[in-house]
Amino acid sequence: MNFINLDIQSDIASITINREKALNALNSDVLKELDQAIDIIEDRISDIRVLTIRGAGEKSFVAGADISEMVKLSPLEAREFLTYGQRVLDRIELLPIPVIAIVNGYALGGGLELALACDIRLATENAVLGLPEVSLGLIPSFGGTQRLTRAVGTSVAKSMILMGKKIDAKRAYELGLVDDVASFENLDEKLGKMIKTLKKMAPVALHAAKDAIYAASNTDIISGQELEVNYASMCFSTDDLREGMSAFLEKRKAEFTGK
Ligand code: CAA
C-alpha cells in the first residue's frame, strides 16, 4: 500500500494515512487502501483489541476528500466516489472493536467525517475541525450531515455546515465532539491511557455496546431497546460476564478472554 500504513503490534492496530504533502486528503486510491486495510483488520479481528487512525505529520489528520480529483467528476462519477467513501467509513464505524481517531491537526470535510465514524476522538491542541464543503459548492458527503448532527445536534451542525465554521480543539472538547485534547508531547501518554482503559473492558460487551449505541441513531426507541435487551441477554452466555461479575464480588481484577 502506498498511502496507508497499517501496523499491527500485539493486539493494537494503527492506521496512518500517509499523504502528507496533500495534508492526507482522501482520493480514490487512499480510500481503496483504507478499505483494504479494513479487510486485513477484519481477517485478524479476534487478535485485535483497539484500532487507532491518524494522519501522517503534525499538521493534518485529513484535510478532506481530494478536491483536485473531485473537480473533474461528472455527477455519476461523483455519486460513485462519494458512495464509496461513505461505505468505507461505515465499515470503520461497524468494526466490532473500539476505534480511536487521533485528530492531529486539520480534520476538515471528509477528514472530520472520518473522525466521526470512529468511536473516540483524541485531538491535538492544533486541531481544526470543520465541514467547509458549502464554500466549495458542495455539501458534506461522507456522512457528515448525518453523523455531525447526531453528535452535536442540529443547531451546532447548522452553524458548522451552513457557515463553514471551523472550530479549534478546545471548542470541540466543550461540544463533546472530541473526548480529550493533548499536546504533541503528551499525546502518546493520553492515547496509551485510553487504550489501557479500553483493554480492561470485556471485548464481547464492547462490541454489543457499539451495536446498541449505533441502533440509538438508526432506529426507533422500542426497536432499539429490544435490541439492547437482546445484546444484554447474550452477554449472559459469555465467560467474560461470569468473570467480570465474579471478579467484582471477589474484589479482584477481571481477566477477560473475549469468550
Ligand atoms: N484536496 C486536495 N488537496 C488538498 C486538500 C484537499 N482537500 N487540502 C489541502 N490540499 C493540498 C493543497 O492543495 C496543497 O497542495 P500544493 O502544495 O500542491 O498546492 C497542500 O495540500 C497544502 O495545502 P495548503 O497550501 O492549502 O496549506 P495551508 O496550510 O495554507 O492550508 C488548509 C491548510 C486550511 C487545510 C487548506 O489546505 C484547505 O482549506 N484545504 C481544503 C479543506 C477543505 O475544503 N476540505 C473539504 C474537502 S471537500 C470534502 O471533503 C467532501 C466530502 O464531504 C467528502
Side-chain angles (χ1 to χ4, degrees), residues 21-23 25 59 63-67 70 109-110 113 132-133 140-142:
K21 277 194 181 145
L23 304 184
K59 186 170 171 184
D66 191 300
I67 299 167
M70 282 189 299
E113 293 171 301
E133 284 89 342
S141 24
F142 284 172

Side-chain angles (χ1 to χ4, degrees), residues 19-26 59-60 63-70 81-82 106 108-111 113 130-133 135-136 138-144 166:
R19 202 182 166 220
E20 202 176 339
K21 277 194 181 145
L23 304 184
N24 305 315
L26 302 172
K59 186 170 171 184
S60 181
D66 191 300
I67 299 167
S68 62
E69 184 172 316
M70 282 189 299
F81 172 70
L82 298 170
Y106 290 113
L108 298 175
E113 293 171 301
L131 293 179
E133 284 89 342
S135 69
L136 300 167
L138 182 61
I139 66 167
S141 24
F142 284 172
K166 295 176 186 141

Side-chain angles (χ1 to χ4, degrees), residues 16-61:
T16 303
I17 297 165
N18 197 1
R19 202 182 166 220
E20 202 176 339
K21 277 194 181 145
L23 304 184
N24 305 315
L26 302 172
N27 63 18
S28 21
D29 289 335
V30 180
L31 284 176
K32 256 181 232 146
E33 290 189 10
L34 197 50
D35 209 11
Q36 286 164 10
I38 300 160
D39 286 339
I40 297 170
I41 290 166
E42 282 188 345
D43 283 348
R44 296 179 56 179
I45 203 71
S46 51
D47 301 327
I48 300 173
R49 297 290 303 276
V50 178
L51 167 64
T52 69
I53 303 181
R54 75 173 86 203
E58 294 198 350
K59 186 170 171 184
S60 181
F61 172 65

